[in-house]
Amino acid sequence: MPDTDIEEGPSCPLPFSDYERVVLAHGGGGRVMQRLIRDLFVAAFGGAALERGHDGAVLRPRGPIAVTTDAFTVSPRTFPGGDLGSLAVHGTVNDLAMCGARPLALTASFILEEGLELRELATLVEHMAAAARSCGVEVVTGDTKVVERGKGDGVFITTTGVGELLVDPPPGPERLAPGDAIVVSGPIGEHGVAVLAAREGLSLEPPLVSDAGPVHAAALALVEACEVHCLRDPTRGGLASVLAELATASGSSMHIREADVPVRPAVADTCELLGLDPLYVACEGRFVAFVPAAQVDDALACLRRSGCEQAAHIGALGPASADPLVFAESALGGRRILDLLSSEQLPRIC
Amino acid sequence: MKWVEEFRDPAAIRAASAAIAEAITQPWTIMEVCGGQTHAIVRWSLHELLPPELELVHGPGCPVCVTPGEVLDAARDLAVEGGVILATYADMLRVPGQRRTGDLLAARAAGADVRAVASPLDALRLAQAHPEREVVMLAVGFETTAPASAAAIEAAARGGVANFSVLASHVRVAPAMAMILAGEDNRVQGFLAAGHVCAVVGTEDYPPLVERYGAPIVVTGFEPLDLLAGVLRCVRALEAGRPRLEVQYRRAVRPEGNPVARAALERVFEVVDAPWRGLGEVPQGGLAIRPEFAAHDALRRFELRPDERGVAAEGGQGSCRAADVLRGRLKPLACPEFGRGCTPERPLGAPMVSSEGACAAYYRHRARHA
């Protein structure tokens, strides 16, 4: 994946509020709110649709579209490699790409907690706008609500994305077939470990940077180059959970070789110390692709041309099974089941 | 990672596996004591690398599993009704108590102030940051985690942190091993002892066990090659009919243990009989905070009585045979409830409640049902 430098936009040339922090009036419908929308949101996102100031936007897609929506919250809101703002754009852009769709437009909805520093909000919005520009997607409509102090966690951002299908039928779980090769686009687990380290104040040397970023360029290049049966980005629950879900959906067991799954040493070491399994740690800038076995070399070559140098062929779907499970073969030759976790992965006591 | 990769080297592992197959001439049953070892065995499918004559059974060394349900209930009550900040290790958060009133995550969802910490010293810092609140550390674990509890209690006493206390449920490994060996229908013929526990307390508890019960004990590490090397030593001792204490995990274990940690344990804790979830009362099996530190002992400070004996022997519900699993008499897959009535989401017995419990490890990595 290409590195995505978040370009630092001009830091809000207009004083968009007389307040230093979000107050209830910022969602109250009056002048304070209008000024925030005009001088912060519209100024940052730009675009004809937003500038109309209407209740919604009109899109005229040329063919079938994909729609996705996602609510974003992360603690801390800024982490090495990204922040809540860029994540809210990349997450939705990536979900569209997983549908085989080229992102066209986003909506953005903000729930702000009274007391949030406006300076921080402005930074998040600028990073959102920069991420949207670099993905070639326009924010066409939005909404702002303010909740009382204590009733929100600073800021929640929800984005909905619309994209044009590049291929029809699009990739999806229903197209998974026995024998499909499983390809992962790059090293896993960097986002989860980077955020955990930032949240818990773990100092890692050198610091781990999240993989958070857009994958649409690589994923869509792959869709155009190969017969892609399914795409999925391993966010919450990581690679193992995505595979377990798709094994169930496909009715076929999956077999992966752990030694072939790319994991950076810093991620492997940190997981080792904390008792975490990198296969279950979240990524925000990686995806898994399922392609016919005969096309796996083409798929890998295409991904590498798109900047995914560490893309790897990690396994395959087995024949249809009444009890479809994911099996991981360890470097030592033993085999274990990768199941959905009962709940979130927690560091172990010893 | 240095000190890890070497112990996962496939060629070395194959060689160790072949050496075990060569050494063994008859069936033997060996117990790995520690949950971390069980986890590694299942995680790396090491059973597939062992000869059929050798049976590995899984021991009671999962501190999360053996923490009595009543202690969890007491912690929950303190958090929900007592209004304290309850700090504990993250993997205690989803262990159901005895009353089945839900785990600590559910208590937190219901409004209790429950925090996950990596060490009792983090909980002490919480207490210093919130002098107006009572902060209670639910501290569990073997001699590995007990020194950190001791350090926090001594620091609180020295610094006069009056709002900090520890709800201690620390247990000792060697007495549980003795109890298993003394059991009437014991099957365990040799032990892989818990390397990290021995790194703290040393190995002096073990020669009397070897002598009395004739079972070899090999203090073993946690990586695949450690475990196979431990098995190999244990098999050779059994085959030769010469049981003795050996230390495989030399890179961490000295016979005298860690003198600083042992001294802290000695100052803060006294050895007591203690209930283990699933095993019942283990003579000399626990560590209680000494009366000198009563101010920082949550049991005394809040007048808790979680140790009503008998109840804690609870092996599980229904046909759950947790007690047999914890003693090495039954493999998880042979339990009638495994994967049917009992899953990690709805555990019936202690070994299914924590990811390090034998049943949970089997469920997660090996099979959904027998």
Side-chain angles (χ1 to χ4, degrees):
Chain A
M1 242 131 299
D3 282 342
T4 51
D5 290 330
I6 292 173
E7 62 183 84
E8 294 291 340
S11 57
C12 220
L14 293 171
F16 48 80
S17 176
D18 295 329
Y19 300 93
E20 286 188 359
R21 292 173 181 272
V22 169
V23 295
L24 288 174
H26 282 121
R31 285 206 181 85
V32 175
M33 184 179 98
Q34 291 304 336
R35 192 168 165 203
L36 181 76
I37 290 174
R38 186 190 65 213
D39 294 349
L40 175 60
F41 293 112
V42 178
F45 293 128
L50 266 189
E51 281 160 12
R52 283 174 71 220
H54 195 40
D55 275 355
V58 176
L59 304 177
R60 299 184 193 283
R62 285 164 297 199
I65 59 166
V67 183
T68 183
T69 190
D70 216 334
F72 293 87
T73 164
V74 61
S75 170
R77 284 191 286 272
T78 298
F79 49 83
D83 65 15
L84 179 63
S86 56
L87 197 62
V89 169
H90 293 145
T92 294
V93 162
N94 291 350
D95 283 351
L96 287 172
M98 296 303 102
C99 301
R102 185 182 304 289
L104 277 182
L106 296 181
T107 73
S109 160
F110 294 80
I111 295 179
L112 309 176
E113 184 184 6
E114 182 184 24
L116 175 73
E117 282 193 38
L118 277 170
R119 186 191 305 271
E120 184 188 350
L121 178 63
T123 305
L124 293 176
V125 169
E126 280 163 20
H127 289 172
M128 270 184 90
R133 276 194 299 277
S134 75
C135 293
V137 61
E138 191 179 338
V139 177
V140 293
T141 186
D143 182 49
T144 309
K145 294 284 188 304
V146 179
V147 296
E148 288 168 38
R149 186 181 263 278
K151 295 192 173 171
D153 186 20
V155 50
F156 299 120
I157 305 177
T158 300
T159 54
T160 297
V162 175
E164 284 180 317
L165 285 193
L166 283 195
V167 287
D168 203 2
E174 64 285 349
R175 293 184 62 199
L176 288 167
D180 277 357
I182 308 173
V183 170
V184 63
S185 70
I188 61 164
E190 284 151 36
H191 178 72
V193 172
V195 168
L196 181 72
R199 182 164 65 227
E200 304 298 334
L202 306 176
S203 38
L204 304 175
E205 279 301 324
L208 253 180
V209 176
S210 164
D211 53 65
V215 302
H216 62 295
L220 297 180
L222 188 65
V223 166
E224 291 187 316
C226 301
E227 180 189 335
V228 178
H229 286 167
C230 189
L231 293 168
R232 188 60 76 81
D233 54 344
T235 53
R236 274 175 301 187
L239 178 64
S241 303
V242 160
L243 296 180
E245 281 170 28
L246 290 176
T248 305
S250 71
S252 294
S253 286
M254 297 187 185
H255 300 266
I256 67 163
R257 300 170 298 273
E258 266 188 79
D260 291 344
V261 177
V263 182
R264 286 195 210 280
V267 170
D269 293 354
T270 310
C271 286
E272 193 66 45
L273 285 172
L274 296 175
L276 302 176
D277 185 342
L279 291 173
Y280 287 90
V281 177
C283 313
E284 286 289 349
R286 305 285 181 248
F287 62 94
V288 194
F290 298 81
V291 299
Q295 296 190 27
V296 67
D297 291 337
D298 292 345
L300 287 171
C302 171
L303 286 172
R304 290 186 183 131
R305 278 196 306 276
S306 309
C308 304
E309 288 87 5
Q310 292 197 61
H313 175 206
I314 60 169
L317 265 70
S321 156
D323 188 12
L325 294 170
V326 180
F327 297 97
E329 184 188 311
S330 81
L332 310 182
R335 202 177 75 153
R336 64 175 171 137
I337 296 172
L338 298 180
D339 191 15
L340 286 180
L341 294 182
S342 301
S343 59
E344 71 181 309
Q345 203 177 202
L346 298 171
R348 296 206 319 266
I349 178 174
C350 69
Chain B
M1 183 188 259
K2 181 87 175 143
W3 301 119
V4 170
E5 291 310 317
E6 298 90 318
F7 294 90
R8 295 178 183 176
D9 175 51
I13 302 268
R14 276 193 296 274
S17 165
I20 294 167
E22 194 171 319
I24 201 163
T25 66
Q26 55 183 299
W28 297 108
T29 301
I30 296 174
M31 172 180 275
E32 85 279 357
V33 172
C34 177
Q37 294 168 329
T38 303
H39 185 87
I41 287 165
V42 180
R43 159 77 177 74
W44 294 98
S45 305
L46 296 184
H47 54 278
E48 294 181 6
L49 305 175
L50 295 174
E53 295 91 340
L54 184 74
E55 186 182 0
L56 274 185
V57 295
H58 315 306
C62 163
V64 177
C65 299
V66 302
T67 300
E70 296 85 346
V71 173
L72 289 156
D73 288 338
R76 186 181 175 282
D77 289 348
L78 279 176
V80 172
E81 290 154 26
V84 309
I85 296 178
L86 185 83
T88 191
Y89 297 110
D91 46 1
M92 294 305 294
L93 296 180
R94 52 179 178 226
V95 184
Q98 181 73 11
R99 293 198 308 258
R100 311 273 154 183
T101 40
D103 56 25
L104 290 169
L105 282 178
R108 181 158 82 185
D113 194 344
V114 177
R115 318 257 182 121
V117 294
S119 156
L121 293 163
D122 292 341
L124 178 63
R125 277 188 280 276
L126 267 178
Q128 288 164 321
H130 299 278
E132 75 291 355
R133 303 278 306 273
E134 284 283 338
V135 174
V136 178
M137 172 74 197
L138 168 60
V140 308
F142 297 104
E143 294 96 327
T144 40
T145 52
S149 297
I153 289 168
E154 289 197 303
R158 265 198 315 274
V161 187
N163 59 328
F164 174 76
S165 59
V166 173
L167 177 52
S169 188
H170 287 299
V171 285
R172 301 174 67 232
V173 174
M177 291 164 66
M179 187 168 156
I180 287 166
L181 287 171
E184 276 177 14
D185 44 1
N186 169 52
R187 302 176 51 226
V188 176
Q189 294 165 297
F191 280 109
L192 307 185
H196 289 153
V197 167
C198 296
V200 175
V201 294
T203 57
E204 65 194 36
D205 286 337
Y206 296 132
L209 289 183
V210 173
E211 186 138 328
R212 177 159 178 201
Y213 298 101
I217 297 179
V218 183
V219 177
T220 302
F222 299 81
E223 291 298 323
L225 191 56
D226 287 322
L227 287 157
L228 293 184
V231 167
L232 179 60
R233 286 172 181 238
C234 206
V235 165
R236 283 182 175 155
L238 287 164
E239 289 281 346
R242 284 200 299 274
R244 60 196 193 105
L245 169 69
E246 295 183 53
V247 179
Q248 179 277 329
Y249 199 35
R250 284 190 185 280
R251 64 188 186 280
V253 176
R254 300 281 166 277
E256 69 280 13
N258 177 333
V260 176
R262 289 184 71 181
L265 285 180
E266 181 63 29
R267 287 194 300 273
V268 173
F269 291 108
E270 56 192 344
V271 173
V272 293
D273 299 345
W276 290 38
R277 194 176 203 175
L279 274 188
E281 182 97 349
V282 178
Q284 311 275 293
L287 293 170
I289 299 172
R290 289 185 185 277
E292 302 91 285
F293 296 99
H296 302 290
D297 179 356
L299 285 181
R300 294 184 172 96
R301 190 174 179 89
F302 300 98
E303 299 181 348
L304 305 173
R305 307 244 178 284
D307 58 342
E308 296 300 328
R309 301 301 148 105
V311 193
E314 161 228 21
Q317 302 178 331
S319 312
C320 166
R321 294 183 55 193
D324 291 329
V325 172
L326 287 169
R327 288 164 194 254
R329 291 194 290 230
L330 189 78
K331 296 298 267 288
L333 293 177
C335 175
E337 296 283 10
F338 181 88
R340 298 184 180 84
C342 181
T343 64
E345 289 80 27
R346 298 181 62 82
L348 292 180
M352 191 63 100
V353 299
S354 151
S355 65
E356 255 164 58
C359 295
Y362 270 63
Y363 188 88
R364 178 154 164 214
H365 293 311
R366 283 188 60 180
R368 228 30 62 69
H369 41 72

